Amino acid sequence: MKRTILSFTATVLGLVALLSFKTHGTQIGPASALPSAALPAGGATSSAAPAPITSSGPPTPTTNNSGPSATPPPTAGPPAPSAATPAARTVLGTAVQTPYGVVQVKITLSGSKITDAGFAQLTADDRRSADINGQAAPILLQQTLSTQSAQIDGVSGASYTSQGYEQSLQSALDRAGVH
Amino acid sequence: MTAPLTAPRRVHHCMGTVFTFDIRDPGVDPAVIDEAVRWLHHVDATFSTYRADTQISRLARGDLAVGDCTPEVRTVLQRCAELERGTGGFFSARAAGTLDPSGYVKGWAIQTASDMLLAAGSTNHSVNGGGDVQCVGDSAPGQPWRIGVAHPQRPGDLAAIVTGTGIAVATSGTAERGCHVLDPHTQRAPLGLASITVAGPHLSEADAYATAVFAMGAAAARDWLEQRPGYWGFGVTTDGGTWATSGWATSGWGGTL
């Protein structure tokens, strides 16, 4: 029988976000000043209601079917038989041109898990888009991490989806060999 | 992710938003996604109110008669009329005065794209268009899809997680570029709800219901959704409270809160 389970969870992640943007010009700050969001150590969540079932353990092996490019991840090596922490690696997504500017996401992974997300490039072609980027950027990053930690398949909502963000993020995941 | 994928997700821009195709069946030809993407662009070219040359825009201006439109335009308009009657006018293709069936079109377009994937042999997939989601089957054998609901007031947080087999999820609320949902009766923004999520089997319905009940405001929304067999709702009120309808317990979906 089909079952629908609605569970409430208040997933609160410590947000390390930088909201200082230069909105005067079209360039949103140097890369180092772009917002980023990171999971607190241990990736904690808190729930007000019965917590959703999440699995923990070693990352699930995935198969990269994304096409002809077969560049192995830079930190590739024989997997350790014990639960050693995988080395952190940073992967850049493609720079995507949107009607509003350029979006390029960079992610840091530990194994197949995103532990940090940020923007390598985030430009706006007009003032309004710059303002929206300033609001939307940290939200997008935080949602990426929420999605990871709650182990969900997608998000529904009147959320701040930014054209180009998901595409750049997906390309970063493809390059990292993670889906 | 909740399960290893056998094919990569595909992301595509259309209709001013981002569409994600997530097929979990092994061996499905990725070319079916190309066909679904062509469909989405066709819908955009027919129904976009942001483009002056679409049939809908020309219809709205009076440059085109309904009888001269393609059958799918007539089908959509007919369905909008039925929904307007069924929702007491709270869903309306003329909510803001001019013809705009967008509150139905996106969900219908995504559901149709999902039907195309199903016809091509994919019995386990998800199509997400800017936060409106149509799932078919499961995310992995025996594992229902899990769709988070973005919290409208706590950016980055999830307000709820919806779990289901073959489930559609649509959410109405304030969008990043301004609130676009009006109460058709008052022509003003409705009061009380920050967002409303509707889940059920078909996204075209869920999308229209979410639009309609958001326009009803918090007080009427819950009662109306309680009456919908097979669909249930979850709301976040402007004071941060939440509620869910009880109808889902008797509609065959079942589950626990």
Side-chain angles (χ1 to χ4, degrees):
Chain A
M1 297 299 288
K2 295 179 168 62
R3 297 186 62 81
T4 298
I5 301 165
L6 174 64
S7 62
F8 293 93
T9 181
T11 304
V12 178
L13 300 175
L15 173 65
V16 180
L18 306 174
L19 288 173
S20 55
F21 283 106
K22 284 189 309 186
T23 55
H24 307 296
T26 56
Q27 183 76 30
I28 308 296
S32 60
L34 290 172
S36 66
L39 287 172
T45 64
S46 66
S47 315
I53 298 169
T54 58
S55 62
S56 57
T60 308
T62 60
T63 303
N64 185 355
N65 288 329
S66 59
S69 69
T71 310
T75 57
S82 59
T85 305
R89 54 201 171 119
T90 298
V91 179
L92 275 182
T94 53
V96 179
Q97 178 70 52
T98 78
Y100 313 110
V102 175
V103 179
Q104 185 177 31
V105 176
K106 72 176 191 297
I107 54 175
T108 300
L109 301 113
S110 176
S112 63
K113 186 175 171 62
I114 300 176
T115 57
D116 197 355
F119 289 91
Q121 276 194 76
L122 182 63
T123 67
D125 295 332
D126 58 61
R127 174 61 184 269
R128 175 162 166 74
S129 295
D131 291 343
I132 290 171
N133 280 351
Q135 292 178 346
I139 293 166
L140 291 168
L141 300 175
Q142 183 66 347
Q143 270 203 344
T144 300
L145 299 177
S146 295
T147 305
Q148 277 275 290
S149 72
Q151 297 205 324
I152 57 178
D153 300 298
V155 177
S156 176
S159 58
Y160 289 87
T161 54
S162 171
Q163 284 193 8
Y165 175 82
E166 281 206 28
Q167 191 165 348
S168 186
L169 174 64
Q170 187 59 45
S171 72
L173 291 171
D174 290 346
R175 287 174 179 177
V178 172
H179 294 295
Chain B
M1 293 299 168
T2 54
L5 299 184
T6 53
R9 295 165 61 200
R10 290 263 303 269
V11 176
H12 198 83
H13 295 158
C14 193
M15 298 186 204
T17 188
V18 178
F19 289 83
T20 303
F21 294 86
D22 193 349
I23 298 180
R24 301 293 172 101
D25 315 271
V28 174
D29 185 358
V32 305
I33 298 181
D34 298 329
E35 195 189 344
V37 167
R38 276 194 294 275
W39 158 251
L40 294 176
H41 282 290
H42 169 72
V43 171
D44 197 31
T46 305
F47 291 97
S48 173
T49 56
Y50 294 102
R51 294 159 57 168
D53 61 343
T54 62
Q55 289 182 58
I56 281 296
S57 291
R58 290 161 60 204
L59 200 56
R61 287 196 304 270
D63 292 348
L64 195 63
V66 175
D68 297 328
C69 293
T70 54
E72 59 204 357
V73 172
R74 295 200 295 273
T75 299
V76 164
L77 293 178
Q78 183 181 339
R79 189 69 194 115
C80 288
E82 291 166 5
L83 285 163
E84 183 165 355
R85 284 192 295 274
T87 63
F90 280 96
F91 176 88
S92 171
R94 293 186 183 276
T98 56
L99 179 63
D100 183 2
S102 306
Y104 177 77
V105 166
K106 186 163 77 138
W108 165 76
I110 295 168
Q111 182 183 321
T112 304
S114 168
D115 290 342
M116 294 168 71
L117 299 184
L118 187 61
S122 167
T123 54
N124 298 281
H125 64 256
S126 161
V127 183
N128 184 333
D132 292 335
V133 191
Q134 177 75 63
C135 301
V136 171
D138 289 325
S139 65
Q143 202 166 335
W145 290 93
R146 288 168 58 84
I147 305 296
V149 176
H151 199 294
Q153 297 155 331
R154 298 206 296 265
D157 283 356
L158 300 177
I161 295 176
V162 178
T163 307
T165 296
I167 195 164
V169 185
T171 300
S172 260
T174 54
E176 66 176 334
R177 291 180 192 258
C179 180
H180 62 285
V181 178
L182 298 178
D183 179 338
H185 302 99
T186 64
Q187 294 291 302
R188 285 157 54 183
L191 299 175
L193 280 174
S195 75
I196 180 75
T197 298
V198 175
H202 303 299
L203 184 59
S204 57
E205 254 64 41
D207 197 9
Y209 292 168
T211 304
V213 297
F214 188 79
M216 289 176 194
R222 186 174 189 172
D223 291 341
W224 193 87
L225 278 173
E226 288 278 4
Q227 312 294 323
R228 277 327 96 187
Y231 289 85
W232 51 267
F234 168 74
V236 180
T237 51
T238 49
D239 60 3
T242 62
W243 53 260
T245 59
S246 59
W248 59 269
T250 60
S251 68
W253 292 100
T256 54
L257 212 59

